[in-house]
Coordinates of all heavy atoms in Angstrom, one line a residue:
I49 N 243.8 120.4 -65.4 CA 242.9 121.0 -64.4 C 241.5 121.0 -64.9 O 241.3 121.5 -66.0 CB 243.4 122.4 -64.0 CG1 244.9 122.3 -63.4 CG2 242.5 123.0 -63.0 CD1 245.4 123.7 -63.1
I115 N 236.9 122.0 -54.0 CA 238.2 122.3 -54.7 C 239.2 121.3 -54.3 O 239.4 121.0 -53.1 CB 238.6 123.7 -54.4 CG1 239.9 124.1 -55.1 CG2 238.7 124.0 -52.9 CD1 240.3 125.5 -55.0
G116 N 239.9 120.7 -55.2 CA 241.0 119.8 -55.0 C 242.3 120.4 -55.6 O 242.3 121.5 -56.1
H117 N 243.3 119.6 -55.7 CA 244.6 120.1 -56.2 C 244.6 120.3 -57.7 O 245.4 121.0 -58.2 CB 245.7 119.1 -55.8 CG 246.0 119.1 -54.3 ND1 246.6 120.2 -53.6 CD2 245.7 118.2 -53.3 CE1 246.6 119.9 -52.4 NE2 246.1 118.7 -52.1
V120 N 238.0 121.7 -59.7 CA 237.0 122.5 -59.0 C 235.6 122.0 -59.5 O 235.4 122.0 -60.7 CB 237.2 124.0 -59.3 CG1 236.1 124.8 -58.6 CG2 238.6 124.5 -58.9
V143 N 244.6 131.0 -69.6 CA 245.4 131.3 -68.4 C 244.4 131.5 -67.1 O 244.9 131.3 -66.0 CB 246.2 132.6 -68.6 CG1 245.3 133.8 -68.6 CG2 247.3 132.7 -67.5
R144 N 243.2 131.7 -67.4 CA 242.2 131.8 -66.3 C 242.0 130.5 -65.6 O 241.4 130.5 -64.5 CB 240.9 132.4 -66.8 CG 241.0 133.8 -67.4 CD 239.6 134.3 -67.8 NE 239.7 135.7 -68.3 CZ 238.8 136.6 -68.2 NH1 237.6 136.3 -67.6 NH2 238.9 137.8 -68.7
M145 N 242.4 129.4 -66.3 CA 242.2 128.1 -65.7 C 243.6 127.5 -65.4 O 243.7 126.2 -65.2 CB 241.4 127.2 -66.6 CG 239.9 127.5 -66.6 SD 239.0 126.2 -67.5 CE 239.3 124.7 -66.6
S146 N 244.6 128.3 -65.3 CA 246.0 127.7 -65.2 C 246.2 127.1 -63.8 O 247.2 126.5 -63.6 CB 247.0 128.8 -65.5 OG 246.8 129.9 -64.6
H147 N 245.3 127.5 -62.8 CA 245.5 127.0 -61.5 C 244.1 126.9 -60.9 O 243.2 127.7 -61.2 CB 246.4 127.9 -60.7 CG 246.8 127.3 -59.4 ND1 246.0 127.4 -58.2 CD2 247.9 126.5 -59.0 CE1 246.7 126.8 -57.2 NE2 247.8 126.3 -57.7
V148 N 243.9 126.0 -60.0 CA 242.6 125.8 -59.3 C 242.2 127.1 -58.6 O 241.0 127.5 -58.4 CB 242.5 124.6 -58.4 CG1 242.5 123.3 -59.2 CG2 243.6 124.7 -57.4
G149 N 243.2 127.8 -58.1 CA 243.0 129.1 -57.4 C 242.4 130.1 -58.3 O 241.6 130.9 -57.9
M150 N 242.9 130.1 -59.6 CA 242.3 131.1 -60.6 C 240.9 130.8 -60.9 O 240.1 131.7 -61.1 CB 243.2 131.0 -61.8 CG 244.6 131.6 -61.6 SD 244.7 133.3 -61.1 CE 243.9 134.1 -62.5
I151 N 240.6 129.5 -61.0 CA 239.2 129.1 -61.3 C 238.3 129.5 -60.1 O 237.2 130.1 -60.3 CB 239.1 127.6 -61.5 CG1 239.9 127.1 -62.7 CG2 237.6 127.2 -61.7 CD1 239.9 125.6 -62.9
L152 N 238.8 129.3 -58.9 CA 238.0 129.7 -57.7 C 237.8 131.2 -57.7 O 236.8 131.7 -57.3 CB 238.8 129.2 -56.5 CG 238.2 129.6 -55.1 CD1 236.8 128.9 -55.0 CD2 239.1 129.1 -54.0
F153 N 238.9 132.0 -58.1 CA 238.8 133.4 -58.1 C 237.6 133.9 -59.0 O 236.8 134.7 -58.6 CB 240.1 134.1 -58.5 CG 239.9 135.5 -59.0 CD1 239.7 136.5 -58.1 CD2 240.0 135.8 -60.3 CE1 239.5 137.8 -58.5 CE2 239.8 137.1 -60.8 CZ 239.6 138.1 -59.9
H154 N 237.6 133.3 -60.2 CA 236.5 133.7 -61.2 C 235.1 133.3 -60.7 O 234.2 134.1 -60.9 CB 236.8 133.2 -62.5 CG 238.0 133.8 -63.2 ND1 238.0 135.1 -63.7 CD2 239.3 133.3 -63.4 CE1 239.2 135.4 -64.2 NE2 240.0 134.3 -64.1
L155 N 235.0 132.2 -60.0 CA 233.7 131.8 -59.5 C 233.3 132.8 -58.4 O 232.2 133.3 -58.3 CB 233.8 130.4 -58.9 CG 233.9 129.3 -59.9 CD1 234.1 127.9 -59.2 CD2 232.6 129.2 -60.8
L156 N 234.2 133.1 -57.5 CA 233.9 134.1 -56.4 C 233.6 135.5 -57.0 O 232.8 136.2 -56.5 CB 235.1 134.2 -55.5 CG 235.4 132.9 -54.7 CD1 236.7 133.0 -53.9 CD2 234.3 132.4 -53.8
D157 N 234.4 135.8 -58.0 CA 234.2 137.1 -58.6 C 232.8 137.3 -59.2 O 232.1 138.3 -59.1 CB 235.2 137.4 -59.7 CG 235.2 138.8 -60.3 OD1 235.1 139.7 -59.5 OD2 235.2 138.9 -61.5
M215 N 236.0 134.4 -47.0 CA 236.9 135.0 -48.0 C 238.3 135.2 -47.3 O 239.4 135.0 -47.9 CB 236.4 136.3 -48.5 CG 235.3 136.2 -49.5 SD 235.9 135.2 -51.0 CE 237.3 136.2 -51.5
T217 N 239.6 133.4 -45.0 CA 240.2 132.0 -44.9 C 240.8 131.7 -46.3 O 241.9 131.2 -46.4 CB 239.2 131.0 -44.5 OG1 238.7 131.3 -43.2 CG2 239.9 129.6 -44.4
I218 N 240.0 131.9 -47.3 CA 240.5 131.6 -48.7 C 241.7 132.4 -49.1 O 242.7 131.9 -49.7 CB 239.4 131.7 -49.7 CG1 238.2 130.7 -49.4 CG2 239.9 131.4 -51.1 CD1 237.0 130.9 -50.3
S219 N 241.7 133.7 -48.7 CA 242.8 134.6 -49.1 C 244.0 134.5 -48.2 O 245.0 135.2 -48.5 CB 242.2 136.0 -49.1 OG 241.8 136.4 -47.8
S220 N 243.9 133.7 -47.2 CA 245.1 133.6 -46.3 C 246.2 132.8 -47.0 O 245.9 131.9 -47.9 CB 244.7 132.9 -45.0 OG 244.3 131.6 -45.2
D221 N 247.4 133.0 -46.6 CA 248.6 132.3 -47.2 C 248.6 130.9 -46.9 O 249.3 130.1 -47.5 CB 249.9 133.0 -46.8 CG 250.0 134.4 -47.3 OD1 249.3 134.8 -48.3 OD2 250.6 135.3 -46.6
F223 N 246.0 128.8 -47.0 CA 245.0 128.0 -47.8 C 245.8 127.2 -48.8 O 246.5 127.8 -49.7 CB 244.0 129.0 -48.4 CG 242.9 128.3 -49.0 CD1 242.0 127.5 -48.3 CD2 242.7 128.3 -50.4 CE1 240.9 126.9 -48.8 CE2 241.6 127.6 -51.0 CZ 240.7 126.9 -50.2
P224 N 245.7 125.9 -48.8 CA 246.5 125.1 -49.7 C 246.2 125.0 -51.2 O 246.9 124.4 -51.9 CB 246.4 123.7 -49.1 CG 245.0 123.7 -48.4 CD 244.8 125.1 -48.0
F225 N 245.0 125.6 -51.6 CA 244.6 125.4 -52.9 C 244.7 126.7 -53.8 O 244.0 126.9 -54.8 CB 243.1 124.9 -52.9 CG 243.0 123.6 -52.2 CD1 242.5 123.6 -50.9 CD2 243.4 122.4 -52.8 CE1 242.3 122.4 -50.2 CE2 243.2 121.2 -52.1 CZ 242.7 121.2 -50.8
T226 N 245.5 127.6 -53.3 CA 245.8 128.8 -54.1 C 247.3 129.0 -54.2 O 248.1 128.6 -53.3 CB 245.2 130.1 -53.5 OG1 245.7 130.2 -52.2 CG2 243.7 130.0 -53.5
N227 N 247.8 129.6 -55.3 CA 249.2 129.9 -55.5 C 249.4 131.4 -55.3 O 248.4 132.1 -54.9 CB 249.7 129.5 -56.8 CG 248.9 130.1 -58.0 OD1 248.0 130.9 -57.8 ND2 249.3 129.8 -59.2
E228 N 250.5 131.9 -55.5 CA 250.8 133.3 -55.2 C 250.0 134.2 -56.1 O 249.5 135.2 -55.6 CB 252.3 133.5 -55.4 CG 252.8 135.0 -55.0 CD 254.3 135.2 -55.2 OE1 254.9 134.2 -55.6 OE2 254.7 136.3 -54.9
E229 N 249.9 133.9 -57.4 CA 249.2 134.8 -58.3 C 247.7 134.8 -58.0 O 247.1 135.9 -57.9 CB 249.5 134.3 -59.7 CG 248.8 135.2 -60.8 CD 249.1 134.8 -62.2 OE1 249.7 133.7 -62.3 OE2 248.7 135.4 -63.1
S230 N 247.1 133.6 -57.9 CA 245.7 133.6 -57.6 C 245.4 134.2 -56.2 O 244.3 134.8 -56.0 CB 245.2 132.2 -57.7 OG 245.8 131.3 -56.7
G231 N 246.3 134.1 -55.3 CA 246.1 134.7 -54.0 C 245.9 136.2 -54.0 O 245.1 136.7 -53.3
Y232 N 246.7 136.8 -54.9 CA 246.6 138.3 -55.0 C 245.2 138.6 -55.5 O 244.6 139.6 -55.1 CB 247.7 138.8 -56.0 CG 249.1 138.7 -55.5 CD1 250.1 138.4 -56.3 CD2 249.3 139.0 -54.1 CE1 251.4 138.3 -55.8 CE2 250.6 139.0 -53.6 CZ 251.7 138.6 -54.5 OH 253.0 138.5 -54.0
F233 N 244.7 137.9 -56.5 CA 243.4 138.2 -57.1 C 242.3 138.0 -56.0 O 241.4 138.8 -55.9 CB 243.1 137.3 -58.3 CG 243.9 137.7 -59.5 CD1 245.0 137.1 -59.9 CD2 243.4 138.7 -60.4 CE1 245.7 137.4 -61.0 CE2 244.0 139.1 -61.5 CZ 245.2 138.5 -61.9
I234 N 242.4 136.9 -55.3 CA 241.4 136.6 -54.3 C 241.4 137.6 -53.2 O 240.3 138.0 -52.7 CB 241.5 135.2 -53.8 CG1 241.3 134.1 -54.9 CG2 240.6 134.9 -52.6 CD1 241.5 132.7 -54.5
K235 N 242.5 138.1 -52.8 CA 242.6 139.1 -51.7 C 241.9 140.4 -52.2 O 241.4 141.1 -51.3 CB 244.1 139.4 -51.4 CG 244.7 138.2 -50.5 CD 246.2 138.5 -50.3 CE 246.8 137.4 -49.4 NZ 248.2 137.6 -49.2
S236 N 242.0 140.7 -53.5 CA 241.3 141.9 -54.0 C 239.8 141.9 -53.8 O 239.2 142.9 -53.7 CB 241.7 142.1 -55.4 OG 241.1 141.1 -56.3
L237 N 239.2 140.6 -53.7 CA 237.8 140.5 -53.5 C 237.4 140.9 -52.1 O 236.2 141.3 -51.9 CB 237.3 139.1 -53.8 CG 237.6 138.6 -55.2 CD1 237.1 137.2 -55.4 CD2 236.8 139.5 -56.3
N238 N 238.3 140.8 -51.1 CA 238.0 141.2 -49.8 C 237.5 142.7 -49.7 O 236.6 143.0 -48.9 CB 239.2 141.0 -48.8 CG 239.4 139.5 -48.6 OD1 238.6 138.7 -48.8 ND2 240.6 139.2 -48.1

Side-chain angles (χ1 to χ4, degrees):
I49 298 175
I115 181 171
H117 293 288
V120 176
V143 71
R144 297 186 178 206
M145 286 188 61
S146 59
H147 192 273
V148 291
M150 293 300 296
I151 300 176
L152 180 61
F153 161 74
H154 289 290
L155 288 173
L156 297 174
D157 186 48
M215 287 299 305
T217 302
I218 298 174
S219 61
S220 66
D221 297 333
F223 189 66
F225 301 102
T226 57
N227 58 2
E228 183 178 4
E229 183 179 4
S230 61
Y232 291 140
F233 284 99
I234 293 176
K235 286 178 181 178
S236 65
L237 298 179
N238 287 344

